[in-house]
Amino acid sequence: MVSALNKKLIRELWRLRGQVVAIAMVIACGVATLVMALSTVEALQVTTQAYYDRYHFGDVFATVTRAPERLKQKIAEIPGVQAVQTRITRYATVDIKNFEEPVVGLVTSIPESGQPRLSQLVIRSGRWVSPGRDDEVILAEPFAEAHGLKLGDSLSVIMNGHKRSFQIVGIALCPEFIYNLAPGALMPDDKRFGVLWMGREVLAAAFDQDEAFNDVTLKLLHNVAVEPVLERLDVLLEKYGGTGAIARADQISNWFVMNEITQQLTMARILPTIFITVAIFLTNMVLARLIATERNEIGLLKAFGYSNWEIAWHYIKMMLVISAIGVGIGSLIGMLFGRMNTEMYATLFRFPLLIYRPSAEPFLIGGILSTIAALVGALSSVNSAVKLPPAEAMQPPSPPVYRHSIFTHSRFIRWLDQPTRIALRQIGRFPVRSFFTSAGIALSVGLMIMILQWDDSLNHMAQVNFYQAQRQNVVVGLVEPQATRSLHDFEQLPGVIRAEPMRMVGADFIANNITHRGGINGIRSGKENLLQPVYDDIKQEIFSVPENGLVLSMTLAKKLKLNIGDKVLVEFREGRRPKYSIPVVGIIKTYIGTPAYMNLSALNRLLKERPRFSHANLLVDRKKENELFAELKNTPRVSAVMLKQAAIDSFYDILVKHLMVFISMFTGLAFILGFGVAYNSTRISLSERGRELATLRVLGFSRGEISYVLLCEVAILILLGLPLGCLVGWGLSWSMTNAFGTELFRVPQLVEASTYGAAAVTIILSTIFSAALVRRKLDKLDLIRVLKTRE
Amino acid sequence: MPSTPNDPTTKATLEAKGLTKVYRSGEVEVHALRGVDFALYRHEMVVLLGASGSGKSTLLNILGGLDLPTDGSVHFEGKDFSAAEDGALTRFRRDHVGFVFQFYNLIPSLTAYENVALVTEIAPNPILPEEALKLVSLEGRMNHFPAQLSGGEQQRVAIARAIAKQPDILLCDEPTGALDKQTGILVLEAIENINRELGTTTVVITHNTVVGGMADRIVHISDGLIAGIDINKSRLPAKDLDW
């Protein structure tokens, strides 16, 4: 048997259904974003961890030029090391039939006898390479898929100058390559970069690594600090051309996966907070109004002998029902979004199996947070209801007191007609509520800006990276640094208009007791006609590298706490490994990596070498590209060919796909938020001022005119909310870009004017939509009933 | 001098014929008016007397263009608006009718002056708000908000607001219902003053038979029908009313 009070509850909820739905939707958005982010994190974390454990992903990674296999024993003796896996890995040009462009392959050795100790493969189809066969290869699954390569197909690899043909015997995945990034690339491009596994013997013979290795992976015992191991390993590897060991955290594929998890967690903090805050304000606003209209009933109930707690519980229940509806809808949407999100990651990250099977935890957190929000929102109004003495409650509330203020006396007010004055004074009379309405609108605008600005910033990042800082269209990496005079050979290649040398050298930078492992790019000095200039996005111009001294990226300078004029100790990790104290002569703003630049000749001089280069930047006539590619595929000195257009295409391809998903999600969320705020605000205004508006109708105002009185107030609050929203959006994007700024990647904070515009228009549309709904109610205003009753 | 129904040369300003009004309240039909013929003549003051639920307010609402009859016709200056659209009714109210209600219905966020200006801004031929307030002797309290005025003062502002547009008809629904006797008389005096000074045709609804004394005609309404009409040979000044 439903009690009378519960029947009242059900009927009140039904009567206020518009507002109930609007608040529930805002709560739902909060829960949805929370569930989406947390469940995605859960899926990524659980899958990654299981994958790493099961297939023995290493903890430490290092490369050398060539180290004897017996060194393995010494490495294994480093305290804390559980397992050592030595390998031979090389970048090589892959030639695939019917694909003109050269493809970069990372050729990695595996024991012919079976799975390596670490970084094991997941054989998706086919089999392991056979011992004694030197023409078998296992291909990474994304690479095979991108080219439609199947078991039994063959491809050619240029190894140490020799073109050799291999047959595909297996297709595999590996925890080391969840995120497949070609050297220097921003986004994965499975058509132009792939991992190939071959028998150790084959690679040892091809790359002169008999009884030797050039890559080592370690697994550490539990609870072993990684830093001391890195140091000891570096010492061991130093004389074999070690370029510095890295921990798992810095391993590129793992870094990207972990970075995504961090981003999702950041999102799980920022977004639900916005929605839940707004939900608190909305429940507070709606409940305060409901209790104001039910003063008589509350007095009556108390007169009948209902206790304060019973009355409080009645209203709290109402808010709990709204919050439960929100949690229900939000959980469903959150699961849907979470699945979409996870599926999107499944295309970006290659796991053997990425299952979206959220646990109860995200839903519980969402439910608890929303319940708290509903209770906090209900607190003050319920308290005021409980405090009402029954006799007083049954009296009508005293009329709202308006006093003379800036809203009555200013010169400006005198220019306004009465309906506009009503709207302005209503705002002045309820400043807190008005502020929260504007703030709610501001948050929805801010949310829109925050998501839309990604498009602006990533575009800007691409613009700077691909166009301002790269004027070439092909970069060729060499197996070994070559004498500068051989640049001429590249100039002679078909379609090449110009060629420019560049040298990349690994180096440690030491300053202020901080060591940074990185490298120096040696490039030509000058501003004009450079294919590989240094572009500073602060001055927005090309920075000419001086004849002497180092130019650091701002991130690197900040990390090492260096300013222009300071000196930094540079320890080269190549050649004779010289050490120098070099002055910093310039600091530039870049978005990718932590580059350091020097004049090419100066760099060669410091290395005590004759002029040499490791990369050639080419400006190519695109009509003759294919001829060039054919030639490059067969050039033994070339280890990798990077095509700018391909990089741009894959950048935008992934960007558009992923950003579109997020932009559509967030537009929906922001729309609902804007709608929820505007609808509740207008609806409450209507409930409070029904009498006033009916009076105006009786006095001869048309429906349009009274709509103006009602909507003018909301419109003013929205107009105030828009610029506030732009500020909020700027702040949100600032905190987001800062939260996501890393050494590898920094997203510039940039909000285009059009983004502010688009965000404002979206939210204005959502408020127009809510205004239209309320306007329909105005048309049904019962003049007579309203006027004949006491307030 | 008001025109009277006995004078065949004068035409009625407002004329209703065969008015019926049926409200549907759930499954129950309420017959609020059951065929009322009623005419209102220029400059006269009519008091509609009847018990609560007699149908007098329904009649007033239909005459004032707030409500439409279920059947019958209402002519204002020869034009029928018994089936008029919302826009036409709005214009009729805006241009020709002033309303005064029991519960004042002032806009709390506007001062007395501004409450009156609300109407003068949209009416075609208004008097100045201050003049309207002077007619109800409130010129001294023009800049007060409703919350700063007594009940009687608020009702007088409502009257000033109703007549500022110089309406053809002033309709007052229980204007003294929420007031004590003394204040009520002040309000009735204001209404009387408007009727005399401006010649505004006035209808006052009340259940207080004493108020009938100030009218040219007293129309008794009972059970949705006109039960009888009394004509006063001479009107009592409002200040001499006593109850």
Side-chain angles (χ1 to χ4, degrees):
Chain A
M1 183 65 198
V2 183
S3 76
L5 217 49
N6 281 340
K7 277 187 189 159
K8 171 179 176 303
L9 179 79
I10 293 164
R11 286 179 196 149
E12 287 298 331
L13 283 168
W14 179 245
R15 185 173 67 81
L16 296 171
R17 57 192 177 275
Q19 281 162 281
V20 167
V21 168
I23 300 174
M25 285 309 289
V26 172
I27 294 177
C29 289
V31 173
T33 48
L34 191 79
V35 168
M36 170 183 81
L38 291 184
S39 62
T40 306
V41 166
E42 203 175 70
L44 285 177
Q45 265 173 341
V46 169
T47 311
T48 310
Q49 202 49 52
Y51 193 20
Y52 283 176
D53 288 347
R54 188 141 172 227
Y55 292 92
H56 304 280
F57 183 51
D59 293 314
V60 171
F61 306 82
T63 56
V64 292
T65 323
R66 187 182 192 282
E69 186 62 19
R70 63 186 145 73
L71 195 67
K72 184 179 172 185
Q73 189 51 42
K74 282 194 177 162
I75 295 173
E77 284 163 12
I78 296 174
V81 173
Q82 187 190 43
V84 182
Q85 177 69 52
T86 60
R87 297 186 299 192
I88 301 162
T89 65
R90 273 294 175 100
Y91 286 110
T93 306
V94 180
D95 188 3
I96 293 165
K97 246 176 258 158
N98 303 324
F99 192 71
E100 307 286 353
E101 299 167 28
V103 173
V104 179
L106 178 63
V107 188
T108 306
S109 73
I110 43 172
E112 278 89 353
S113 53
Q115 286 283 10
R117 184 84 179 74
L118 301 175
S119 279
Q120 297 186 340
L121 307 193
V122 187
I123 297 290
R124 306 284 281 172
S125 62
R127 58 169 173 83
W128 205 255
V129 292
S130 326
R133 289 289 296 264
D134 63 355
D135 61 348
E136 292 184 348
V137 66
I138 297 177
L139 231 54
E141 189 176 50
F143 185 49
E145 279 172 2
H147 286 285
L149 292 170
K150 295 182 296 293
L151 296 175
D153 288 350
S154 60
L155 48 75
S156 303
V157 183
I158 295 131
M159 289 159 73
N160 235 5
H162 301 285
K163 189 168 182 172
R164 293 175 52 176
S165 184
F166 291 89
Q167 199 197 4
I168 302 163
V169 297
I171 307 283
L173 287 173
C174 173
E176 216 177 322
F177 304 102
I178 294 174
Y179 192 71
N180 285 293
L181 211 54
L186 283 179
M187 295 279 179
D189 181 355
D190 295 327
K191 261 190 147 45
R192 292 173 190 83
F193 174 73
V195 185
L196 301 89
W197 289 276
M198 294 178 188
R200 174 93 177 240
E201 304 280 309
V202 183
L203 294 185
F207 294 114
D208 185 27
Q209 300 272 357
D210 236 1
E211 285 301 304
F213 65 89
N214 70 357
D215 181 292
V216 61
T217 308
L218 312 184
K219 180 88 195 150
L220 304 186
L221 292 165
H222 277 293
N223 300 322
V224 169
V226 72
E227 284 302 324
V229 179
L230 291 180
E231 278 169 30
R232 280 166 175 263
L233 184 61
D234 279 350
V235 171
L236 281 180
L237 297 180
E238 188 171 349
K239 62 176 165 183
Y240 302 104
T243 48
I246 54 164
R248 182 192 275 191
D250 295 319
Q251 197 266 348
I252 198 92
S253 156
N254 177 68
W255 185 90
F256 272 95
V257 178
M258 294 304 141
N259 188 47
E260 279 308 316
I261 291 176
T262 314
Q263 288 195 21
Q264 290 291 325
L265 284 174
T266 308
M267 203 145 86
R269 272 195 298 273
I270 295 182
L271 294 180
T273 311
I274 292 177
F275 288 106
I276 299 292
T277 310
V278 173
I280 291 176
F281 143 69
L282 290 181
T283 45
N284 180 285
M285 192 162 92
V286 169
L287 196 58
R289 177 58 197 158
L290 182 68
I291 286 172
T293 58
E294 293 192 345
R295 279 171 71 94
N296 284 328
E297 285 93 326
I298 294 169
L300 210 58
L301 289 172
K302 285 187 178 180
F304 290 161
Y306 277 93
S307 73
N308 282 346
W309 166 244
E310 281 165 319
I311 288 168
W313 177 233
H314 174 66
Y315 290 105
I316 288 172
K317 255 193 297 192
M318 187 161 204
M319 293 302 113
L320 289 181
V321 170
I322 296 178
S323 132
I325 296 172
V327 173
I329 299 174
S331 300
L332 288 177
I333 299 175
M335 280 229 295
L336 182 78
F337 280 8
R339 183 177 296 277
M340 277 164 72
N341 211 6
T342 310
E343 275 167 8
M344 191 188 77
Y345 280 123
T347 64
L348 196 60
F349 295 144
R350 299 304 297 246
F351 293 103
L353 200 57
L354 180 56
I355 310 171
Y356 182 71
R357 201 180 290 145
S359 71
E361 200 182 303
F363 301 97
L364 272 179
I365 295 176
I368 291 169
L369 275 181
S370 311
T371 308
I372 293 173
L375 292 179
V376 170
L379 200 65
S380 68
S381 344
V382 168
N383 194 34
S384 69
V386 163
K387 271 195 189 150
L388 276 176
E392 194 189 307
M394 283 158 75
Q395 295 294 315
S398 39
V401 180
Y402 290 83
R403 295 192 188 287
H404 290 286
S405 68
I406 186 155
F407 289 103
T408 55
H409 272 84
S410 69
R411 193 181 292 266
F412 161 70
I413 282 285
R414 275 181 243 150
W415 288 95
L416 301 173
D417 61 0
Q418 305 308 326
T420 312
R421 289 188 201 192
I422 296 176
L424 276 178
R425 286 189 193 151
Q426 185 80 6
I427 294 170
R429 175 72 181 76
F430 300 103
V432 176
R433 195 171 75 196
S434 303
F435 169 76
F436 276 117
T437 301
S438 289
I441 293 296
L443 283 172
S444 30
V445 173
L447 200 62
M448 269 312 278
I449 291 173
M450 185 184 82
I451 187 66
L452 290 179
Q453 74 100 25
W454 280 106
D455 192 44
D456 295 344
S457 351
L458 292 175
N459 264 317
H460 181 73
M461 182 172 162
Q463 183 65 30
V464 168
N465 186 61
F466 291 125
Y467 297 101
Q468 302 297 347
Q470 291 188 53
R471 310 281 163 103
Q472 78 287 63
N473 37 25
V474 176
V475 180
V476 176
L478 306 178
V479 176
E480 291 277 301
Q482 309 259 320
T484 307
R485 63 184 133 72
S486 62
L487 186 69
H488 187 66
D489 301 345
F490 287 99
E491 283 168 344
Q492 298 303 311
L493 289 173
V496 174
I497 301 166
R498 221 139 47 79
E500 195 177 281
M502 174 167 77
R503 179 152 193 198
M504 292 189 192
V505 185
D508 284 344
F509 299 84
I510 302 157
N512 301 312
N513 285 325
I514 305 158
T515 305
H516 171 80
R517 175 145 292 174
I520 297 178
N521 292 0
I523 58 169
R524 281 186 175 163
S525 294
K527 277 199 175 187
E528 304 292 317
N529 289 326
L530 277 187
L531 292 180
Q532 176 59 70
V534 175
Y535 182 79
D536 178 15
D537 200 39
I538 285 204
K539 291 198 182 121
Q540 307 217 326
E541 61 178 25
I542 288 172
F543 184 93
S544 174
V545 178
E547 293 293 330
N548 284 299
L550 261 180
V551 176
L552 301 183
S553 53
M554 199 172 280
T555 317
L556 183 53
K558 274 192 186 146
K559 182 182 178 186
L560 296 170
K561 297 179 185 154
L562 290 169
N563 285 312
I564 292 176
D566 293 348
K567 285 197 163 182
V568 54
L569 180 66
V570 175
E571 296 184 5
F572 286 104
R573 298 198 312 266
E574 275 181 33
R576 295 172 204 176
R577 300 186 163 244
K579 297 176 187 180
Y580 296 99
S581 183
I582 307 176
V584 177
V585 292
I587 292 174
I588 52 143
K589 189 173 173 80
T590 60
Y591 297 114
I592 294 150
T594 50
Y597 297 94
M598 259 188 114
N599 175 279
L600 177 60
S601 312
L603 180 66
N604 278 320
R605 273 199 305 280
L606 290 180
L607 286 164
K608 299 193 167 93
E609 285 177 7
R610 270 183 290 167
R612 297 214 291 171
F613 69 104
S614 63
H615 291 75
N617 292 295
L618 307 181
L619 185 64
V620 176
D621 176 0
R622 297 203 58 188
K623 275 175 267 170
K624 294 188 181 163
E625 257 179 359
N626 287 348
E627 279 175 64
L628 173 71
F629 296 155
E631 197 74 27
L632 284 175
K633 279 180 183 178
N634 295 310
T635 308
R637 287 179 291 175
V638 170
S639 69
V641 179
M642 288 153 272
L643 309 177
K644 190 166 85 176
Q645 195 52 48
I648 294 173
D649 291 346
S650 65
F651 181 85
Y652 279 106
D653 183 42
I654 290 176
L655 188 68
V656 166
K657 252 192 256 162
H658 290 196
L659 215 51
M660 275 304 138
V661 172
F662 276 113
I663 286 178
S664 41
M665 265 184 205
F666 277 68
T667 306
L669 295 175
F671 194 91
I672 290 172
L673 191 62
F675 170 79
V677 172
Y679 182 76
N680 269 306
S681 190
T682 320
R683 212 38 208 87
I684 284 172
S685 225
L686 174 61
S687 135
E688 281 177 348
R689 296 161 65 195
R691 187 184 191 76
E692 206 172 292
L693 297 172
T695 305
L696 292 173
R697 287 281 284 139
V698 170
L699 293 178
F701 282 75
S702 67
R703 280 177 189 162
E705 284 163 331
I706 62 162
S707 304
Y708 170 78
V709 175
L710 182 68
L711 300 179
C712 178
E713 178 194 340
V714 183
I716 291 171
L717 294 177
I718 287 161
L719 288 180
L720 289 175
L722 292 179
L724 198 62
C726 292
L727 278 178
V728 170
W730 195 91
L732 281 175
S733 65
W734 184 84
S735 66
M736 282 298 240
T737 47
N738 268 301
F740 295 161
T742 60
E743 274 188 31
L744 264 177
F745 251 120
R746 288 164 301 280
V747 182
Q749 196 210 350
L750 180 91
V751 191
E752 300 280 2
S754 60
T755 294
Y756 288 118
V761 166
T762 309
I763 302 310
I764 289 173
L765 282 178
S766 81
T767 57
I768 288 176
F769 180 59
S770 72
L773 284 182
V774 177
R775 167 75 210 259
R776 277 181 38 213
K777 293 223 177 279
L778 267 189
D779 289 348
K780 291 185 198 145
L781 202 60
D782 184 343
L783 303 184
I784 297 155
R785 201 177 55 86
V786 171
L787 293 175
K788 297 286 266 190
T789 51
R790 280 190 100 123
E791 172 76 330
Chain B
M1 183 60 198
S3 32
T4 69
N6 301 333
D7 180 354
T9 58
T10 53
K11 272 174 73 184
T13 300
L14 193 61
E15 192 167 20
K17 282 206 174 114
L19 283 188
T20 64
K21 181 71 186 177
V22 182
Y23 290 111
R24 220 167 267 282
S25 145
E27 287 170 19
V28 188
E29 283 193 347
V30 179
H31 292 262
L33 294 178
R34 305 164 179 269
V36 171
D37 296 329
F38 178 76
L40 200 55
Y41 296 90
R42 209 174 291 274
H43 309 313
E44 71 169 336
M45 167 157 337
V46 173
V47 167
L48 288 183
L49 265 178
S52 112
S54 59
K56 56 189 192 305
S57 288
T58 307
L59 176 60
L60 191 86
N61 291 338
I62 293 173
L63 294 178
L66 280 181
D67 205 352
L68 290 174
T70 311
D71 203 4
S73 66
V74 189
H75 284 84
F76 174 74
E77 290 177 346
K79 254 173 85 180
D80 186 8
F81 64 84
S82 56
E85 287 188 349
D86 183 70
L89 284 180
T90 301
R91 266 195 307 285
F92 170 63
R93 293 199 300 268
R94 178 187 288 215
D95 298 347
H96 304 291
V97 189
F99 279 100
V100 175
F101 292 95
Q102 183 179 357
F103 299 117
Y104 334 134
N105 292 323
L106 296 180
I107 309 292
S109 59
L110 297 181
T111 62
Y113 177 90
E114 288 165 343
N115 261 286
V116 180
L118 194 59
V119 169
T120 60
E121 279 172 6
I122 59 162
N125 183 30
I127 57 172
L128 290 172
E130 47 267 50
E131 282 178 38
L133 285 163
K134 207 169 168 188
L135 281 169
V136 295
S137 313
L138 276 178
E139 63 271 36
R141 305 191 67 98
M142 282 200 306
N143 290 321
H144 287 64
F145 282 103
Q148 299 166 316
L149 297 170
S150 71
E153 285 171 331
Q154 288 188 53
Q155 190 60 299
R156 276 146 66 200
V157 174
I159 294 168
R161 187 176 66 181
I163 55 99
K165 67 170 80 157
Q166 304 208 64
D168 295 293
I169 308 155
L170 175 63
L171 302 174
C172 311
D173 193 349
E174 298 275 8
T176 59
L179 303 170
D180 61 56
K181 189 181 87 180
Q182 260 176 324
T183 323
I185 284 176
L186 276 177
V187 166
L188 290 176
E189 275 187 311
I191 293 170
E192 179 182 56
N193 198 26
I194 302 300
N195 177 252
R196 284 198 197 287
E197 299 271 315
L198 303 178
T200 311
T201 311
T202 305
V203 181
V204 176
I205 281 189
T206 180
H207 58 267
N208 184 349
T209 46
V210 177
V211 178
M214 63 184 285
D216 293 305
R217 285 196 292 153
I218 304 151
V219 178
H220 297 273
I221 306 229
S222 171
D223 204 16
L225 287 166
I226 293 184
I229 301 179
D230 296 334
I231 297 173
N232 280 338
K233 293 232 164 59
S234 61
R235 287 161 53 172
L236 277 178
K239 67 171 169 23
D240 293 346
L241 298 175
D242 191 16
W243 63 86

